[in-house]
């Protein structure tokens, strides 16, 4: 099968190019705002892109019947979990393996047909004629690669653009990409055993809405905001899953330099995989290092309790080719942010969960023995590096535990303003803005940060205001719920709305989880967000104008000008 895939892939690449504009790094030219070529900037080839579109199409078919089956009290937990997992695999820099997408497409058709049969039986049992559905509900994937790829026209994200125009297609895309982000957050909760029927129901309703190829702009905007509210539910669920499983994060000092000994590097976002790896390496003389978005994991008491969790290695995802090549041990990638593995480390990198790359060993059963064996086979670090640390763990409990001091500092004028500099990092030009911004924030102001964008400034010295650190690392992008709760608690303490706080949001976006968080903030009525380093390509000028008018959403300019505008607005 893999040999056939490679042959068909080569043939198909010669026939047509892919189109994708779901992430910030997408190619932007005069001819279009998307990667329209044989291979995207992320490394995703045209075949994988088409298969991902087909998988999403198949998932919409599941949702069409699952939504109606729920009307008869019928739910399918296997299908619920599959929808989250499968959508997660289509996020930017997650899975690049065509063979796994083919298997998931077939699985989507199987689950849809099972739910369809249960729905139709329940309808007949109640004397009701089953609803006749079309589109994804009736699509049947063919068995061969060429035939499968020939079916992509109706599944493409730009399908129907000639009939409805770019604005409608862009709104559909915003909803879909937001849902992909929700799926990622909900999947992380799901693997820890936290689920919500309300979340599954709303997820299916919105997918069913998209399956009908909606054309009403106002209804599409409403659904986009509904995605934001759904994401808030997913973030709340994930927060409960993480804190119940590993304790509430606490401020902790994290070593950023190597320790002598055998080594495993774990990257991505998944705390369950990290906990399992730590347990399986206990007492084996292997040091474990976090990377990327797993840096905040050191704040969780139950994870920090493992003495061989010795620190963090490297920075944000876009530097992994160099950093992974220099790391002298095994590497485990647990979720999104994978780039094409370089030959220098391809034989010692492993994937787990939704992640995948052709030819890279995948751990599907939670048994990390191959990773451990690889770590023991490689030399590890030969000596300790000079000790350097950063502090993490300022999630909602830690910050709200000193809320009275924060409020007093604001009332006395010791703290003038809060700048939330959060979101993704990336390789595209313009992201030095966030370094400049953090460094230029006045000394009487506090920087809140979350996401991997923090690596651009989290080793800088910020000092403290009355014992309150001027840089508060809230956590991963997954911890956006903490930021929302902190802002809400401060607003309550000052008896005002969040928009009235001395708080400015400068958000860097990259992929679909960031889209979901942005929609959450907009659904909560947050205004004046500055977004960068560039605005989403799927938002047309007309859509951007509408969002600007309704939410005062605006692009970043310069660090100096944006700080001045923020302080002037708050004055």
């Amino acid at each position: 099968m893999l040999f056939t895939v490679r042959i068909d892939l080569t043939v198909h690449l010669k026939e047509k190019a892919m189109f994708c504009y779901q992430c910030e790094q997408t190619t932007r030219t005069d001819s279009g705002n998307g990667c329209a070529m044989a291979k995207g900037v992320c490394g995703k080839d045209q075949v994988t892109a088409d298969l991902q579109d087909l998988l999403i199409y198949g998932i919409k078919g599941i949702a069409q019947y699952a939504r109606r089956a729920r009307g008869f009290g019928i739910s399918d937990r296997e299908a619920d979990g599959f929808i989250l997992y499968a959508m997660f695999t289509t996020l930017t820099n997650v899975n690049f393996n065509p063979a796994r997408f083919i298997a998931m497409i077939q699985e989507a058709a199987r689950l849809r047909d099972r739910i369809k049969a249960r729905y139709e039986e329940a309808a007949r049992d109640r004397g009701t004629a089953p609803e006749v559905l079309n589109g994804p509900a009736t699509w049947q994937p063919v068995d061969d690669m060429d035939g499968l790829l020939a079916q992509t026209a109706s599944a493409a994200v730009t399908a129907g653009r000639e009939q409805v125009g770019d604005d409608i297609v862009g709104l559909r895309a915003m909803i879909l990409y937001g849902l992909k982000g929700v799926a990622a957050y909900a999947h992380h909760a799901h693997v820890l055993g936290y689920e919500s029927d309300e979340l599954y129901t709303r997820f299916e309703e919105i997918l069913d809405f998209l399956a009908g190829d909606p054309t009403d702009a106002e209804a599409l905007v409403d659904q986009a905001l509904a995605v934001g509210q759904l994401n808030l539910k997913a973030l709340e669920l994930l927060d409960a899953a993480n804190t119940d499983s590993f304790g509430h994060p606490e401020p902790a000092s994290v070593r950023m330099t190597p320790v002598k000994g055998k080594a495993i590097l774990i990257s991505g976002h998944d705390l369950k995989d990290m906990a399992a790896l730590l347990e399986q390496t206990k007492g084996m003389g292997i040091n474990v290092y976090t990377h990327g978005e797993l840096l905040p994991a050191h704040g969780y008491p139950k994870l920090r309790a493992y003495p061989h969790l010795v620190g963090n290695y490297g920075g944000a995802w876009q530097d992994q080719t160099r950093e992974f090549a220099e790391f002298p041990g095994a590497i485990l990638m647990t979720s999104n942010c994978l780039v094409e593995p370089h030959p220098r480390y391809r034989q010692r990198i492993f994937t787990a969960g939704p992640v995948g790359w052709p030819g890279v060993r995948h751990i599907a059963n939670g048994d990390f023995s191959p990773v451990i064996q690889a770590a023991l086979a490689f030399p590890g670090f030969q000596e300790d590096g000079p000790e350097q640390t950063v502090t993490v763990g300022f999630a909602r409990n830690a910050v709200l535990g000193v809320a009275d001091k924060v409020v007093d500092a604001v009332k006395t004028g010791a703290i003038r303003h809060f700048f939330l500099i959060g979101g993704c990092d990336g390789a595209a030009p313009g992201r030095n803005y966030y370094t400049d911004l953090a460094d230029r924030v006045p000394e009487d102001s506090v920087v809140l940060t979350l996401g991997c964008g923090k690596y651009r400034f989290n080793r800088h010295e910020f000092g403290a205001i009355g014992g309150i650190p001027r840089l508060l690392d809230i956590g991963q992008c997954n911890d956006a719920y903490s930021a929302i709760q902190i802002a809400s608690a401060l607003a309550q303490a000052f008896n005002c709305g969040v928009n009235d706080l001395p708080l400015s949001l400068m958000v860097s976006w990259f992929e679909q989880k960031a889209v979901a968080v942005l929609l959450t903030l907009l659904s909560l009525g947050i205004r004046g967000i500055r977004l960068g380093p560039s605005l989403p390509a799927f938002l047309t000028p007309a859509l951007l104008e509408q969002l600007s008018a309704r939410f005062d959403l605006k692009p970043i300019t310069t660090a100096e000008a944006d700080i001045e505008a923020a302080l002037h607005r708050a004055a």
Side-chain angles (χ1 to χ4, degrees), residues 18-87:
M18 65 177 281
F19 179 83
C20 180
Y21 61 177
Q22 70 178 10
C23 80
E24 187 268 337
Q25 67 184 348
T26 185
T27 302
R28 302 183 190 217
T29 66
D30 292 338
S31 60
N33 286 334
C35 289
M37 57 193 83
K39 197 174 205 179
V41 175
C42 68
K44 178 172 62 177
D45 60 51
Q46 175 264 312
V47 166
T48 304
D50 282 353
L51 292 174
Q52 289 182 358
D53 286 345
L54 286 172
L55 177 59
I56 294 297
Y57 197 68
I59 289 169
K60 289 178 182 177
I62 298 175
Q64 285 178 282
Y65 280 110
R67 180 198 166 201
R68 289 157 177 82
R70 284 187 189 275
F72 293 111
I74 297 170
S75 60
D76 190 314
R77 276 288 193 256
E78 182 185 6
D80 294 337
F82 174 81
I83 288 173
L84 300 181
Y85 173 85
M87 289 194 73

Side-chain angles (χ1 to χ4, degrees), residues 282-542:
K282 189 167 58 177
M284 299 192 70
I286 300 173
N287 293 323
V288 175
Y289 298 81
T290 55
H291 174 270
E293 286 268 45
L294 277 176
L295 167 62
H298 292 266
Y300 288 91
K302 290 185 180 179
L303 298 176
R304 195 171 64 249
Y306 288 92
H308 61 297
L309 176 61
V310 297
N312 186 81
Y313 178 90
W317 67 272
Q318 75 274 7
D319 296 324
Q320 69 186 251
T321 301
R322 171 181 55 81
E323 292 172 350
F324 288 4
E326 295 172 354
F327 186 78
I331 302 158
L332 176 63
M333 180 64 70
T334 67
S335 67
N336 48 318
C337 300
L338 175 68
V339 300
E340 181 173 3
H342 191 275
R344 286 179 62 189
Y345 57 86
R346 187 170 293 210
Q347 296 307 309
R348 53 188 173 89
I349 187 171
F350 302 81
T351 60
V355 199
W357 190 279
V360 169
R361 285 171 289 182
H362 186 73
I363 308 297
N365 57 4
D367 180 358
F368 296 116
S369 298
V371 184
I372 296 168
Q373 292 167 8
L376 293 172
F378 283 87
F381 290 102
Q382 299 304 298
E383 59 183 14
D384 291 349
E387 187 169 355
Q388 299 175 12
T389 64
V390 300
T391 303
V392 301
F394 292 101
R396 60 186 176 89
N397 262 31
V399 175
L400 296 181
V402 294
D404 56 339
K405 295 180 181 179
V406 174
V407 171
D408 286 344
V410 174
K411 288 181 176 179
T412 62
I415 293 178
R416 180 184 180 190
H417 204 80
F418 297 91
F419 290 85
L420 175 64
I421 307 175
C424 315
D425 203 3
R431 291 185 179 270
N432 285 340
Y433 164 89
Y434 297 98
T435 309
D436 295 341
L437 185 70
D439 288 343
R440 288 175 179 268
V441 165
E443 292 187 2
D444 59 358
S445 298
V446 172
V447 174
L448 307 171
T449 188
L450 73 165
C452 62
K454 68 170 70 83
Y455 281 108
R456 291 191 174 263
F457 51 82
N458 69 339
R459 296 199 196 194
H460 297 193
E461 181 56 49
F462 287 88
I465 300 174
I468 300 167
R470 286 189 59 240
L471 177 64
L472 300 177
D473 185 346
I474 298 172
Q476 299 180 344
C477 67
N478 292 21
D479 297 311
Y481 182 75
S482 270
I484 292 169
Q485 291 299 104
I486 291 169
S488 299
L490 289 175
Q492 185 175 3
F494 286 106
N495 194 28
C496 68
V498 172
N499 290 318
D500 300 316
L501 288 171
L503 169 67
S504 298
L505 284 70
M506 279 74 167
V507 178
S508 58
W509 83 286
F510 179 76
E511 43 81 24
Q512 298 77 67
K513 287 195 288 186
V515 175
V517 172
L518 176 63
L519 291 176
T520 296
L521 295 174
L522 298 182
S523 75
L524 291 171
I526 307 300
R527 295 179 55 83
I529 299 169
R530 287 197 180 271
L531 187 64
S534 59
L535 296 176
F538 51 84
L539 292 182
T540 64

Side-chain angles (χ1 to χ4, degrees), residues 152-223:
T152 57
S154 58
V157 69
T158 54
R161 179 158 57 184
E162 293 77 9
Q163 291 76 39
V164 301
D166 287 336
D167 292 347
I168 296 300
V169 168
L171 282 170
R172 292 174 183 171
M174 182 165 65
I175 293 169
L176 174 61
Y177 299 153
L179 278 178
K180 287 188 179 189
V182 178
Y185 292 131
H187 172 75
H188 283 301
H190 176 265
V191 297
L192 288 170
Y194 284 68
E195 300 181 272
S196 164
D197 281 325
E198 177 189 353
L199 187 146
Y200 291 139
T201 299
R202 290 294 295 126
F203 209 101
E204 291 159 3
E205 288 173 351
I206 298 171
L207 281 171
D208 179 53
F209 172 78
L210 287 177
D213 295 330
T215 59
D216 183 274
E218 186 173 344
L220 283 160
V221 171
D222 288 344
Q223 286 289 355

